[in-house]
Amino acid sequence: MNAPLPSHALPEVTPRPLPAAMLEALAARFGDRLSTAAAVREQHGRDESPFPVTPPEAVVFAESTDDAAFVVRLAHAHAVPVIPFGVGSSLEGHLLAVQGGVSIDLSRMTRIVQVHPEDMTVTVEAGVTREQLNQHLRDQGLFFPIDPGANASLGGMAATRASGTNAVRYGTMRDNVLGLTVVTADGSVVRTGTRARKSSAGYDLTRVFVGSEGTLGVMTEVTLRLYPLPEAVSAAVCHFPTVDAAVQTTIQIIQLGVPIARCELLDVNAIRAVNFASKLGLRELPMLLMEFHGSDASVKEQAETVQALAADMGGEAFEWAHTPEERTRLWAARHQAYRAGHAPGLQERDHRRLRADLAPGRHHQRLGRRGRRVRAALLHRRPRRRRQLPHRLPGAGRRRGAARHGRAAEPADGAPRDRDGRHLHRRARHRAAQDGFPGRGGGRGRRRPDAPPQARAGPEEHHEPRQNLQLVTR
């Protein structure tokens, strides 16, 4: 999660001054494409993260790979930070100029370099947005499926390894970037990857840069994988009585191999916020939004399978949409959920949203205490405090699950006792002496080879039978 750290946990950084010689060189090369105006700098010193505005010292509007390389070489010579900037829709906070420096705005690099319909690939400059690309590809029967919600630039999506609502079928940017043109930290220009779908030659440098958030270089061109437009598209929404029911339905859909294209979960809080902000009038119950791609017959088969699975988990009020207008209406709640959280009346002024990647369905058992609390928050209930497992004493026998009987009785002298009031340490030492030395692994102790055999205790020397002793702590 990108929540701000407390001030004492953050490293102390001081802005680096922008040398006058570098500023003069930038002005000579770029002219009016260099800006030091406060409004422009503040625009490039914030994104959608919860961090405060930290503007750069200057902003350069690059229009080619050579422009970006010139700025980086100059910054390298003067030891000045460089921050690539797309459209400012990211959530990670990597656009913030915490040490000043120069922001390279790539939003003017909007050229679609080459489309290869036969290979279903395209090469674009970093400033092209996903909507611009899909508009250009529409007449060729192709589309680029990654949809992170915002109309982000493709260079920024590659830098942040964006995913989006179609990731369940088409993958993320990591799976769909085939090659890059990158300006490295010293101003060198490198080209990674090829248009080949299958290649094992050399280092996979493309995956190194994808998701690096601008820390390894400035991406200026991206080669992407395209997909054919589906013959039929159908969308549906379904309400569930609990979040668990919606999650279990999703798991069953994936396990059965249903090629669902989109699957998004909105909990009650999100729906309440959307209703408040956009007046949609949705039922305030956990809701799954789904979309199916394929031929008419396959979409119908997928829809019937999913509807049967959802009905088994208590899903109800299915609503289907087949035209683009109806699908847009159904998905309005999902696309407006983030902005709805900023609506006046839902939060204090100037508060911003945090985002985190969660998997409450398959991984909440393995996330420990924090995972249980996240899942409990989704289920709108107070998490039950889990007691610790009992400590094991030497030779105390097997440990049988979590403690169920509360705190063990403690004598006045402070020595721990079991539920019957016996001194645990005394009983453990006594049993260890009987067996020769304490057993290991919770099993029965073994006798030393050189220990003399011991006679079986008579009636007057009878001892209590062994029990599974538990020392319960909190």
Side-chain angles (χ1 to χ4, degrees):
M1 183 182 291
N2 59 344
L5 294 174
S7 58
H8 65 273
L10 293 172
E12 292 186 7
V13 293
T14 56
R16 306 183 199 177
L18 186 64
M22 179 178 175
L23 193 60
E24 293 175 0
L26 291 175
R29 168 68 183 260
F30 297 101
D32 59 356
R33 288 191 285 140
L34 169 69
S35 177
T36 56
V40 176
R41 290 168 48 229
E42 289 184 2
Q43 176 191 356
H44 290 75
R46 72 174 300 158
D47 55 8
E48 295 297 331
S49 70
F51 302 103
V53 178
T54 52
E57 297 293 325
V59 178
V60 173
F61 293 89
E63 295 181 352
S64 66
T65 300
D66 290 339
D67 286 348
F70 178 84
V71 176
V72 174
R73 282 196 298 268
L74 200 60
H76 177 70
H78 292 277
V80 172
V82 172
I83 306 98
F85 186 92
V87 297
S89 61
S90 60
L91 305 170
E92 287 78 12
H94 60 277
L95 300 179
L96 310 183
V98 294
Q99 292 185 331
V102 177
S103 176
I104 302 179
D105 190 316
L106 305 172
S107 60
R108 298 186 183 183
M109 297 181 63
T110 57
R111 191 167 59 98
I112 296 177
V113 179
Q114 197 168 13
V115 180
H116 299 274
E118 65 281 0
D119 295 332
M120 292 194 294
T121 62
V122 62
T123 300
V124 300
E125 290 185 332
V128 177
T129 65
R130 63 175 187 86
E131 291 183 0
Q132 291 173 347
L133 176 60
N134 283 328
Q135 184 68 27
H136 181 82
L137 297 171
R138 180 171 298 179
D139 60 343
Q140 303 188 46
L142 301 172
F143 82 115
F144 183 66
I146 308 302
D147 178 9
N151 187 25
S153 66
L154 295 170
M157 290 169 61
T160 57
R161 200 173 61 212
S163 54
T165 57
N166 282 322
V168 65
R169 177 165 182 174
Y170 298 102
T172 67
M173 288 297 289
R174 178 190 62 184
D175 308 299
N176 292 282
V177 176
L178 300 176
L180 295 168
T181 299
V182 183
V183 180
T184 59
D186 62 351
S188 303
V189 178
V190 298
R191 290 174 173 83
T192 70
T194 66
R195 292 191 295 109
R197 292 297 182 104
K198 182 177 73 69
S199 175
S200 59
Y203 294 117
D204 191 1
L205 296 179
T206 302
R207 300 296 177 270
V208 174
F209 286 106
V210 172
S212 62
E213 299 183 357
T215 58
L216 301 180
V218 181
M219 301 179 188
T220 57
E221 290 185 5
V222 187
T223 300
L224 302 168
R225 176 181 288 127
L226 302 178
Y227 295 84
L229 282 170
E231 177 185 345
V233 178
S234 179
V237 296
C238 180
H239 295 273
F240 290 85
T242 64
V243 171
D244 262 352
V247 170
Q248 291 302 321
T249 301
T250 305
I251 293 174
Q252 293 179 18
I253 291 172
I254 302 300
Q255 289 178 341
L256 283 177
V258 178
I260 188 171
R262 297 190 187 191
C263 190
E264 296 282 312
L265 169 66
L266 292 181
D267 68 350
V268 175
N269 290 331
I271 296 176
R272 187 177 296 123
V274 170
N275 284 340
F276 181 86
S278 303
K279 314 301 182 189
L280 293 182
L282 299 172
R283 299 175 61 187
E284 293 186 359
L285 288 173
M287 180 173 67
L288 278 183
L289 299 99
M290 297 164 284
E291 192 167 282
F292 310 93
H293 295 176
S295 63
D296 291 329
S298 65
V299 166
K300 181 180 180 181
E301 182 181 0
Q302 295 172 36
E304 292 175 351
T305 303
V306 170
Q307 189 165 359
L309 292 174
D312 291 340
M313 299 302 299
E316 57 183 11
F318 258 88
E319 185 177 355
W320 295 92
H322 303 283
T323 65
E325 294 78 14
E326 292 176 343
R327 293 197 303 270
T328 300
R329 178 181 59 83
L330 287 187
W331 279 87
R334 168 62 181 88
H335 290 302
Q336 297 174 14
Y338 182 79
R339 294 297 178 186
H342 295 270
L346 289 179
Q347 61 173 1
E348 295 295 331
R349 187 177 181 181
D350 295 334
H351 284 193
R352 309 185 74 184
R353 301 292 93 188
L354 303 179
R355 75 108 172 99
D357 297 326
L358 302 177
R362 289 175 289 176
H363 304 299
H364 69 264
Q365 291 97 346
R366 287 177 276 169
L367 290 176
R369 182 173 58 185
R370 179 176 297 178
R372 292 194 302 274
R373 291 187 179 277
V374 168
R375 181 169 174 265
L378 289 175
L379 295 174
H380 309 290
R381 69 186 182 197
R382 183 182 181 87
R384 186 176 63 182
R385 196 172 191 84
R386 185 174 181 179
R387 294 178 179 141
Q388 294 178 341
L389 294 175
H391 293 292
R392 178 183 296 178
L393 297 175
R398 293 175 180 167
R399 181 173 59 187
R400 299 197 181 273
R404 301 185 300 273
H405 305 295
R407 182 183 297 274
E410 295 184 1
D413 59 3
R417 298 179 185 271
D418 66 2
R419 287 181 51 79
D420 298 326
R422 302 181 182 89
H423 286 266
L424 297 182
H425 297 318
R426 184 183 304 167
R427 287 176 54 77
R429 289 196 301 269
H430 178 71
R431 185 166 58 254
Q434 271 193 314
D435 291 340
F437 61 94
R440 295 186 179 180
R444 188 174 182 85
R446 295 176 296 169
R447 191 181 305 279
R448 292 193 188 95
D450 57 344
Q454 297 180 0
R456 183 178 299 273
E460 68 280 359
E461 299 174 351
H462 178 71
H463 299 285
E464 293 287 339
R466 291 193 178 186
Q467 298 180 5
N468 295 320
L469 304 182
Q470 294 181 346
L471 173 61
V472 183
T473 61
R474 287 189 178 180

